[in-house]
Amino acid sequence: MRLYIVTVTALSRAGGVLAMLLLAAAVLVTCQMIFVRYLLGGSTIWQTEFVIYSIVAATFIGSPSVLIDRGHVGVDLLPKALGGTGRRWLEVIGGVAALAFCLLLAWSGFIYFYEALTRGWRTATVWQLPLWIPLFPLPLGIGLLALQYVAEMLKLRDGGTLLAGEATHFEELE
Amino acid sequence: MGPFASGSLLLLGLLVLLATGMPIAFALGLVSIVALILSGGFGVMEIIGETFFGGLASFSLVAIPMFILMGSAVASSPAGRDLYEALDRWLNRVPGGLVLSNIGACSIFSALSGSSPATCAAIGKMGIPAMVERGYPASIATGSIAAGGTLGILIPPSVTMIVYGISTETSIGRLFLAGVLPGVMLTALFMIWTIISCRIAGYSFEAMARRFTLREKLQALPRVLPFLSIVVAILYVLYGGVATPSEAAGAGALFCIVLAVVIYRMWRPGPLVEIFRSTLRESVMIMMIIGASELFAFALSSLFVTQSIAMWIADLEVNRWVLLLFVNIFLLIAGFFLPPVAVILMTAPILLPIIVQAGFDPYWFAVVLTINMEIGLITPPVGLNLYVINGIAPDIPLQTILKGALPYVLCMMLGIIILCFFPGIATWLPGRMMGVAL
């Protein structure tokens, strides 16, 4: 169990670093695009799509590490008001529901990705990027998010919490 | 099952899930997927991923992470403190000066970004800690920023107005102009309320009223000027039609990071990574809610919930002001649950003919609709601004933010009433600049 949590958390953190790099790349490419288009008067081909898909990829791949930091906010009025066993139950129910969503979205995203890959779909632009490339982060990132959710729920047994603003890192539980 | 029954069930399911404290994005997404599967079978799984992805893959959304990054860069450098120091020196004799300058900054910044969450993130990141540090009540500090941030969808250039223009085939330029004066009016209403509420809370403005000399005021400027020049550059680029908000945001983000590195010597990897880390946290949270809202909107329209309500209102043969009241209530409720863009895309094409037939101006209606959507941004369960504020000020409980934002909802309702009595506030400027609408 401990090995699972440590491994998945490390993967999620790696995803977080990759997402930050994608974000930085999107900023640099946007500026390069402005430079080429407005200062050199040239035309740009791949930049707009690159920026859009980098941001989308950063969203999906960065999602698991944001979960570790409890960045996905919720309305925690009721669980905090209840406290004790009631709060624990709500956290478990909410956790299972969130896990269900992640699994459904990852699965559906995988169907979309798989179709794009096997049917050789491309984006309807001059760049003609194979569509599976921007789609891959969806099943990958959300799949990892599901794994991370399992890890976070395992931590519940050791006194962790799923509520926003009260992140419990594994190190703190030792 | 009829649209009303299924719609009620869907909303009930959402409320139950949200009550567990689970992330908004996942609760919204789950009820939508379940509703779609129950109504259309498992075949719908083929388009869930596509809808979610499609909701995010848009160049205009790129502005959100970019502006968060810009705000994050400015916030983690001492530039934020310098700006507040400067604003304080210039405005500290005015009651509630810092809150006033925050709301002013919100309306200016939201004009740049056209994005409410980005405005809340950029201004709130600097403004809320500064206000709390000065002893302002946390509810007023967060409520005023949450409300000020909503001005972004009203004051041009506004993405919401662009979407309205596209879906109703009205002039986007005229819509932009229609939003200017109502935006100024709401800013003034927010400022007035802030002063009143500070007085009610017993906050003593006099305690802060140290007199600064002109020399001290001028000395505060050089450290603020590089930051202000970026703001001016973004304004110039946007209003000059040189670049899109996303491009301006990207350039602004880069300039702010470069400024932080050059002027404030933040060249070590540590602070830079922290800038990106906090940007990622906020932008991922917001983008996931946007994607899930797309699923939610899809589910509601598949079940004909939103359409049925709109048609039901159209069938009532009532006085035009009673009709408008119903439309407002409907928009208000829709705005509680749906993001502005989704509400507009689903209802404007149905509502606009009814509204025009009742003798209302479509550009005036765009403003009223947008203010309704602004209310939705600071009310639960999908009040994006509240959650953005919650994300950047994790120490302040959501309840406090909600309590602080509520009076500003009433300010906006008052704004709608004023617009009903004086429609010229919205229609005068576009008429003046672009001639009479056809």
PDB file of all heavy atoms in Angstrom, chain B residues 163-186:
ATOM      1  N   VAL B 163     -19.487  36.078 -27.451  1.00  0.00           N
ATOM      2  CA  VAL B 163     -20.340  34.897 -27.622  1.00  0.00           C
ATOM      3  C   VAL B 163     -21.795  35.314 -27.857  1.00  0.00           C
ATOM      4  O   VAL B 163     -22.472  34.758 -28.723  1.00  0.00           O
ATOM      5  CB  VAL B 163     -20.226  33.967 -26.394  1.00  0.00           C
ATOM      6  CG1 VAL B 163     -21.255  32.859 -26.459  1.00  0.00           C
ATOM      7  CG2 VAL B 163     -18.836  33.378 -26.313  1.00  0.00           C
ATOM      8  N   TYR B 164     -22.260  36.327 -27.118  1.00  0.00           N
ATOM      9  CA  TYR B 164     -23.628  36.837 -27.314  1.00  0.00           C
ATOM     10  C   TYR B 164     -23.781  37.344 -28.742  1.00  0.00           C
ATOM     11  O   TYR B 164     -24.767  37.052 -29.417  1.00  0.00           O
ATOM     12  CB  TYR B 164     -23.917  37.951 -26.306  1.00  0.00           C
ATOM     13  CG  TYR B 164     -25.303  38.566 -26.406  1.00  0.00           C
ATOM     14  CD1 TYR B 164     -26.351  38.079 -25.642  1.00  0.00           C
ATOM     15  CD2 TYR B 164     -25.554  39.618 -27.274  1.00  0.00           C
ATOM     16  CE1 TYR B 164     -27.619  38.638 -25.723  1.00  0.00           C
ATOM     17  CE2 TYR B 164     -26.822  40.190 -27.369  1.00  0.00           C
ATOM     18  CZ  TYR B 164     -27.858  39.702 -26.592  1.00  0.00           C
ATOM     19  OH  TYR B 164     -29.102  40.252 -26.675  1.00  0.00           O
ATOM     20  N   GLY B 165     -22.789  38.102 -29.184  1.00  0.00           N
ATOM     21  CA  GLY B 165     -22.825  38.663 -30.541  1.00  0.00           C
ATOM     22  C   GLY B 165     -22.914  37.582 -31.603  1.00  0.00           C
ATOM     23  O   GLY B 165     -23.686  37.690 -32.558  1.00  0.00           O
ATOM     24  N   ILE B 166     -22.139  36.519 -31.408  1.00  0.00           N
ATOM     25  CA  ILE B 166     -22.133  35.429 -32.390  1.00  0.00           C
ATOM     26  C   ILE B 166     -23.466  34.685 -32.375  1.00  0.00           C
ATOM     27  O   ILE B 166     -24.065  34.430 -33.426  1.00  0.00           O
ATOM     28  CB  ILE B 166     -20.969  34.446 -32.106  1.00  0.00           C
ATOM     29  CG1 ILE B 166     -19.641  35.157 -32.369  1.00  0.00           C
ATOM     30  CG2 ILE B 166     -21.088  33.195 -32.954  1.00  0.00           C
ATOM     31  CD1 ILE B 166     -18.430  34.418 -31.845  1.00  0.00           C
ATOM     32  N   SER B 167     -23.977  34.375 -31.167  1.00  0.00           N
ATOM     33  CA  SER B 167     -25.174  33.529 -31.109  1.00  0.00           C
ATOM     34  C   SER B 167     -26.453  34.295 -31.447  1.00  0.00           C
ATOM     35  O   SER B 167     -27.455  33.686 -31.794  1.00  0.00           O
ATOM     36  CB  SER B 167     -25.295  32.851 -29.740  1.00  0.00           C
ATOM     37  OG  SER B 167     -25.618  33.800 -28.763  1.00  0.00           O
ATOM     38  N   THR B 168     -26.442  35.632 -31.338  1.00  0.00           N
ATOM     39  CA  THR B 168     -27.657  36.383 -31.656  1.00  0.00           C
ATOM     40  C   THR B 168     -27.503  37.197 -32.940  1.00  0.00           C
ATOM     41  O   THR B 168     -28.408  37.932 -33.318  1.00  0.00           O
ATOM     42  CB  THR B 168     -28.023  37.366 -30.518  1.00  0.00           C
ATOM     43  OG1 THR B 168     -26.945  38.294 -30.367  1.00  0.00           O
ATOM     44  CG2 THR B 168     -28.265  36.650 -29.213  1.00  0.00           C
ATOM     45  N   GLU B 169     -26.338  37.092 -33.579  1.00  0.00           N
ATOM     46  CA  GLU B 169     -26.041  37.845 -34.801  1.00  0.00           C
ATOM     47  C   GLU B 169     -26.219  39.346 -34.584  1.00  0.00           C
ATOM     48  O   GLU B 169     -26.847  40.040 -35.386  1.00  0.00           O
ATOM     49  CB  GLU B 169     -26.891  37.346 -35.966  1.00  0.00           C
ATOM     50  CG  GLU B 169     -26.549  35.896 -36.320  1.00  0.00           C
ATOM     51  CD  GLU B 169     -27.347  35.375 -37.494  1.00  0.00           C
ATOM     52  OE1 GLU B 169     -28.236  36.096 -37.966  1.00  0.00           O
ATOM     53  OE2 GLU B 169     -27.057  34.253 -37.926  1.00  0.00           O
ATOM     54  N   THR B 170     -25.689  39.843 -33.475  1.00  0.00           N
ATOM     55  CA  THR B 170     -25.668  41.278 -33.223  1.00  0.00           C
ATOM     56  C   THR B 170     -24.225  41.771 -33.335  1.00  0.00           C
ATOM     57  O   THR B 170     -23.289  40.971 -33.311  1.00  0.00           O
ATOM     58  CB  THR B 170     -26.217  41.596 -31.811  1.00  0.00           C
ATOM     59  OG1 THR B 170     -25.674  40.655 -30.891  1.00  0.00           O
ATOM     60  CG2 THR B 170     -27.726  41.517 -31.766  1.00  0.00           C
ATOM     61  N   SER B 171     -24.083  43.109 -33.461  1.00  0.00           N
ATOM     62  CA  SER B 171     -22.754  43.685 -33.670  1.00  0.00           C
ATOM     63  C   SER B 171     -21.899  43.628 -32.408  1.00  0.00           C
ATOM     64  O   SER B 171     -22.291  44.140 -31.354  1.00  0.00           O
ATOM     65  CB  SER B 171     -22.901  45.140 -34.141  1.00  0.00           C
ATOM     66  OG  SER B 171     -21.743  45.878 -33.793  1.00  0.00           O
ATOM     67  N   ILE B 172     -20.736  42.999 -32.516  1.00  0.00           N
ATOM     68  CA  ILE B 172     -19.857  42.854 -31.356  1.00  0.00           C
ATOM     69  C   ILE B 172     -19.291  44.208 -30.919  1.00  0.00           C
ATOM     70  O   ILE B 172     -19.199  44.502 -29.732  1.00  0.00           O
ATOM     71  CB  ILE B 172     -18.731  41.833 -31.655  1.00  0.00           C
ATOM     72  CG1 ILE B 172     -19.349  40.437 -31.758  1.00  0.00           C
ATOM     73  CG2 ILE B 172     -17.656  41.854 -30.578  1.00  0.00           C
ATOM     74  CD1 ILE B 172     -18.424  39.371 -32.304  1.00  0.00           C
ATOM     75  N   GLY B 173     -18.965  45.071 -31.902  1.00  0.00           N
ATOM     76  CA  GLY B 173     -18.457  46.402 -31.575  1.00  0.00           C
ATOM     77  C   GLY B 173     -19.478  47.194 -30.766  1.00  0.00           C
ATOM     78  O   GLY B 173     -19.158  47.844 -29.767  1.00  0.00           O
ATOM     79  N   ARG B 174     -20.748  47.125 -31.201  1.00  0.00           N
ATOM     80  CA  ARG B 174     -21.827  47.837 -30.507  1.00  0.00           C
ATOM     81  C   ARG B 174     -22.055  47.251 -29.103  1.00  0.00           C
ATOM     82  O   ARG B 174     -22.300  47.981 -28.149  1.00  0.00           O
ATOM     83  CB  ARG B 174     -23.098  47.719 -31.352  1.00  0.00           C
ATOM     84  CG  ARG B 174     -24.265  48.530 -30.866  1.00  0.00           C
ATOM     85  CD  ARG B 174     -25.428  48.432 -31.834  1.00  0.00           C
ATOM     86  NE  ARG B 174     -25.285  49.344 -32.951  1.00  0.00           N
ATOM     87  CZ  ARG B 174     -25.671  50.632 -32.926  1.00  0.00           C
ATOM     88  NH1 ARG B 174     -26.210  51.129 -31.841  1.00  0.00           N
ATOM     89  NH2 ARG B 174     -25.520  51.399 -33.970  1.00  0.00           N
ATOM     90  N   LEU B 175     -21.944  45.930 -28.998  1.00  0.00           N
ATOM     91  CA  LEU B 175     -22.084  45.276 -27.685  1.00  0.00           C
ATOM     92  C   LEU B 175     -21.002  45.757 -26.728  1.00  0.00           C
ATOM     93  O   LEU B 175     -21.276  46.037 -25.561  1.00  0.00           O
ATOM     94  CB  LEU B 175     -21.997  43.756 -27.832  1.00  0.00           C
ATOM     95  CG  LEU B 175     -23.195  43.039 -28.442  1.00  0.00           C
ATOM     96  CD1 LEU B 175     -22.830  41.597 -28.771  1.00  0.00           C
ATOM     97  CD2 LEU B 175     -24.377  43.072 -27.499  1.00  0.00           C
ATOM     98  N   PHE B 176     -19.777  45.853 -27.244  1.00  0.00           N
ATOM     99  CA  PHE B 176     -18.660  46.321 -26.421  1.00  0.00           C
ATOM    100  C   PHE B 176     -18.957  47.710 -25.880  1.00  0.00           C
ATOM    101  O   PHE B 176     -18.793  47.976 -24.691  1.00  0.00           O
ATOM    102  CB  PHE B 176     -17.373  46.360 -27.254  1.00  0.00           C
ATOM    103  CG  PHE B 176     -16.657  45.035 -27.315  1.00  0.00           C
ATOM    104  CD1 PHE B 176     -17.225  43.889 -26.792  1.00  0.00           C
ATOM    105  CD2 PHE B 176     -15.398  44.938 -27.890  1.00  0.00           C
ATOM    106  CE1 PHE B 176     -16.567  42.670 -26.843  1.00  0.00           C
ATOM    107  CE2 PHE B 176     -14.730  43.732 -27.950  1.00  0.00           C
ATOM    108  CZ  PHE B 176     -15.307  42.598 -27.430  1.00  0.00           C
ATOM    109  N   LEU B 177     -19.409  48.602 -26.778  1.00  0.00           N
ATOM    110  CA  LEU B 177     -19.690  49.979 -26.358  1.00  0.00           C
ATOM    111  C   LEU B 177     -20.838  50.016 -25.352  1.00  0.00           C
ATOM    112  O   LEU B 177     -20.821  50.807 -24.403  1.00  0.00           O
ATOM    113  CB  LEU B 177     -20.014  50.852 -27.569  1.00  0.00           C
ATOM    114  CG  LEU B 177     -18.815  51.200 -28.454  1.00  0.00           C
ATOM    115  CD1 LEU B 177     -19.266  51.905 -29.723  1.00  0.00           C
ATOM    116  CD2 LEU B 177     -17.822  52.064 -27.688  1.00  0.00           C
ATOM    117  N   ALA B 178     -21.839  49.142 -25.553  1.00  0.00           N
ATOM    118  CA  ALA B 178     -22.988  49.118 -24.640  1.00  0.00           C
ATOM    119  C   ALA B 178     -22.565  48.755 -23.219  1.00  0.00           C
ATOM    120  O   ALA B 178     -23.194  49.164 -22.257  1.00  0.00           O
ATOM    121  CB  ALA B 178     -24.040  48.137 -25.142  1.00  0.00           C
ATOM    122  N   GLY B 179     -21.477  47.992 -23.089  1.00  0.00           N
ATOM    123  CA  GLY B 179     -21.045  47.550 -21.769  1.00  0.00           C
ATOM    124  C   GLY B 179     -20.243  48.585 -20.983  1.00  0.00           C
ATOM    125  O   GLY B 179     -20.083  48.448 -19.774  1.00  0.00           O
ATOM    126  N   VAL B 180     -19.770  49.637 -21.657  1.00  0.00           N
ATOM    127  CA  VAL B 180     -18.845  50.576 -21.011  1.00  0.00           C
ATOM    128  C   VAL B 180     -19.483  51.327 -19.835  1.00  0.00           C
ATOM    129  O   VAL B 180     -19.024  51.210 -18.694  1.00  0.00           O
ATOM    130  CB  VAL B 180     -18.269  51.589 -22.027  1.00  0.00           C
ATOM    131  CG1 VAL B 180     -17.426  52.638 -21.317  1.00  0.00           C
ATOM    132  CG2 VAL B 180     -17.438  50.867 -23.078  1.00  0.00           C
ATOM    133  N   LEU B 181     -20.558  52.095 -20.112  1.00  0.00           N
ATOM    134  CA  LEU B 181     -21.154  52.911 -19.044  1.00  0.00           C
ATOM    135  C   LEU B 181     -21.770  52.066 -17.925  1.00  0.00           C
ATOM    136  O   LEU B 181     -21.588  52.382 -16.745  1.00  0.00           O
ATOM    137  CB  LEU B 181     -22.170  53.894 -19.634  1.00  0.00           C
ATOM    138  CG  LEU B 181     -21.547  55.033 -20.461  1.00  0.00           C
ATOM    139  CD1 LEU B 181     -22.624  55.965 -21.003  1.00  0.00           C
ATOM    140  CD2 LEU B 181     -20.527  55.806 -19.650  1.00  0.00           C
ATOM    141  N   PRO B 182     -22.502  50.977 -18.249  1.00  0.00           N
ATOM    142  CA  PRO B 182     -22.996  50.126 -17.152  1.00  0.00           C
ATOM    143  C   PRO B 182     -21.851  49.583 -16.306  1.00  0.00           C
ATOM    144  O   PRO B 182     -21.996  49.439 -15.084  1.00  0.00           O
ATOM    145  CB  PRO B 182     -23.734  48.995 -17.880  1.00  0.00           C
ATOM    146  CG  PRO B 182     -24.154  49.598 -19.173  1.00  0.00           C
ATOM    147  CD  PRO B 182     -23.051  50.540 -19.551  1.00  0.00           C
ATOM    148  N   GLY B 183     -20.700  49.308 -16.936  1.00  0.00           N
ATOM    149  CA  GLY B 183     -19.537  48.835 -16.193  1.00  0.00           C
ATOM    150  C   GLY B 183     -19.053  49.890 -15.215  1.00  0.00           C
ATOM    151  O   GLY B 183     -18.743  49.596 -14.057  1.00  0.00           O
ATOM    152  N   VAL B 184     -19.008  51.137 -15.677  1.00  0.00           N
ATOM    153  CA  VAL B 184     -18.602  52.248 -14.808  1.00  0.00           C
ATOM    154  C   VAL B 184     -19.604  52.406 -13.670  1.00  0.00           C
ATOM    155  O   VAL B 184     -19.232  52.594 -12.500  1.00  0.00           O
ATOM    156  CB  VAL B 184     -18.487  53.559 -15.627  1.00  0.00           C
ATOM    157  CG1 VAL B 184     -18.251  54.747 -14.704  1.00  0.00           C
ATOM    158  CG2 VAL B 184     -17.359  53.438 -16.648  1.00  0.00           C
ATOM    159  N   MET B 185     -20.912  52.282 -14.018  1.00  0.00           N
ATOM    160  CA  MET B 185     -21.953  52.426 -13.004  1.00  0.00           C
ATOM    161  C   MET B 185     -21.806  51.366 -11.900  1.00  0.00           C
ATOM    162  O   MET B 185     -21.873  51.674 -10.703  1.00  0.00           O
ATOM    163  CB  MET B 185     -23.330  52.303 -13.662  1.00  0.00           C
ATOM    164  CG  MET B 185     -24.493  52.374 -12.688  1.00  0.00           C
ATOM    165  SD  MET B 185     -26.088  52.095 -13.481  1.00  0.00           S
ATOM    166  CE  MET B 185     -26.060  50.332 -13.739  1.00  0.00           C
ATOM    167  N   LEU B 186     -21.602  50.091 -12.319  1.00  0.00           N
ATOM    168  CA  LEU B 186     -21.456  49.023 -11.332  1.00  0.00           C
ATOM    169  C   LEU B 186     -20.215  49.245 -10.468  1.00  0.00           C
ATOM    170  O   LEU B 186     -20.246  49.012  -9.256  1.00  0.00           O
ATOM    171  CB  LEU B 186     -21.368  47.657 -12.016  1.00  0.00           C
ATOM    172  CG  LEU B 186     -22.679  47.003 -12.446  1.00  0.00           C
ATOM    173  CD1 LEU B 186     -22.411  45.594 -12.938  1.00  0.00           C
ATOM    174  CD2 LEU B 186     -23.680  46.972 -11.305  1.00  0.00           C
TER     175      LEU B 186
END
